[in-house]
Amino acid sequence: MPFIELDSLEKTFTVRRKAGLLRRERKEVRAVDGISFGVERGEMVGYIGPNGAGKSTTIKMLTGILTPSGGRLRVAGIDPARERTRLAQRIGVVFGQRTTLWWDLPLKDSYRLMHRMYRIPDARYRENLDRCVELLELGDLLDVPVRQLSLGQRMRGDVAAALLHDPEVLYLDEPTIGLDVVSKGRVREFLRDLNTTRGTTVLLTTHDLTDIEQLCSRVMVIDHGRLMYDGELAGLHAVGESERLLVVDLERELPPIDVPGARFVRAEGPRQWLAFPATASAAPLVAAVASGYPLLDLSVREPDIEAVIAKMYGGTRDERRESLR
Ligand SMILES: Nc1ncnc2c1ncn2[C@@H]1O[C@H](COP(=O)(O)OP(=O)(O)OP(=O)(O)O)[C@@H](O)[C@H]1O
Ligand SMILES: [Mg+2]
């Protein structure tokens, strides 16, 4: 049995909203609409999707904060909603949008409280804390009240807090949101190390695809509460019917190049852009262009994974083409 297992998981919210002056009507929001997947111990999986797709709702059910409306859910053999406290000993969670630390206390006092709350054995607590302080460079921050920390410092503080009790699973809901490039890099490096050296299972939600590219070999895409894709990041290209671009520099301005297997996209003076399927070889195309046209130079541009995903999220073909430029 997988370490994390979801079977047709559902969460429906009932929201009341104004309908006219006095009337209020109830409306059902299917935030998670029948999601099934399994995550094995030690995996590091990306969980992505547009705003409102149901990512945070899934994570809240995985932690036991929210009770599912339907389906089945197990984490380490535990039903999170029924045994939330027992599960808490085995999971760690970071919500990038909101801190789990005590706002007015110095960072180290928050950690001391966690030490007691989770009843972490002293030696293990000290060892974990030392490790986090070193790897996340928290040394100078331990005496600073959380409210005085910058976003990136606080996030590192939160990641450490989630790991003091040695959880087997770490859920991260947008851990790099709002961080600068250097801080993002530091958090990513830490997570990669955690996953490889400790074998911690990680489920990562993010809007930054670089997080996924650098950390996850597997990615799940959800939209409208449904699982749209589950596989390697590279496989998204095929699903998204993505295209590569052949950028051709001709000796002079010419009418659009017409060769089999490629589609003329646009021209700018003597430079032309041709699109062809990302899964096809560029070689025959290059040969055809070279033999039929006065060629100066040419290059192939790889598809942009952002563009592929934008398309999956519902962007139009034209928008995707635009972002390929
Ligand atoms: N407590 C709630 N009550 C009512 N509706 C909710 C509640 N929590 C979430 N929703 C709705 O459920 C849907 C999924 O929300 P969720 O927060 O899971 O999305 P998300 O994928 O995390 O989005 P984002 O990328 O913006 O964080 C949205 O339509 C949201 O409005
Ligand atoms: Mg969210």
Side-chain angles (χ1 to χ4, degrees), residues 63-194:
T63 59
I65 298 172
L66 284 176
T67 309
S69 318
R72 204 183 105 100
L73 174 60
R74 290 288 180 277
V75 179
I78 297 173
D79 179 346
R82 295 182 75 186
E83 291 188 88
R84 184 172 163 192
T85 323
R86 186 155 81 94
L87 183 67
Q89 294 287 341
R90 306 185 58 176
I91 63 170
V93 61
V94 176
F95 288 105
Q97 310 255 24
R98 155 171 87 75
T99 184
T100 51
L101 302 165
W102 281 263
W103 204 241
D104 292 313
L105 296 183
L107 204 49
K108 66 166 189 262
D109 290 359
S110 276
Y111 295 155
R112 274 189 201 134
L113 283 166
M114 305 256 173
H115 181 187
R116 287 216 220 115
M117 272 170 48
Y118 286 96
R119 300 204 179 93
I120 309 166
D122 291 349
R124 200 161 84 177
Y125 168 77
R126 228 164 290 124
E127 188 192 315
N128 287 340
L129 183 61
D130 287 350
R131 182 168 170 276
C132 284
V133 166
E134 191 200 322
L135 294 176
L136 290 165
E137 297 171 47
L138 295 171
D140 295 337
L141 307 174
L142 288 172
D143 291 314
V144 181
V146 171
R147 67 183 138 75
Q148 287 177 19
L149 297 176
S150 78
L151 185 61
Q153 293 168 338
R154 198 219 80 204
M155 201 74 85
R156 273 147 47 207
D158 258 299
V159 171
L163 294 169
L164 295 175
H165 61 298
D166 270 334
E168 294 152 79
V169 195
L170 182 62
Y171 308 123
L172 299 152
D173 194 353
E174 304 193 43
T176 57
I177 190 167
L179 302 194
D180 67 36
V181 180
V182 176
S183 301
K184 278 184 183 181
R186 211 177 276 163
V187 169
R188 284 181 196 137
E189 208 174 296
F190 178 81
L191 294 176
R192 196 180 305 116
D193 177 76
L194 180 79

Side-chain angles (χ1 to χ4, degrees), residues 55-57 97 173-174 205 207:
K55 306 178 295 292
S56 297
T57 305
Q97 310 255 24
D173 194 353
E174 304 193 43
T205 283
H207 287 290

Side-chain angles (χ1 to χ4, degrees), residues 34-53:
I35 288 187
S36 305
F37 63 76
V39 174
E40 300 296 335
R41 204 181 261 279
E43 269 194 281
M44 193 155 181
V45 183
Y47 196 56
I48 66 173
N51 291 131

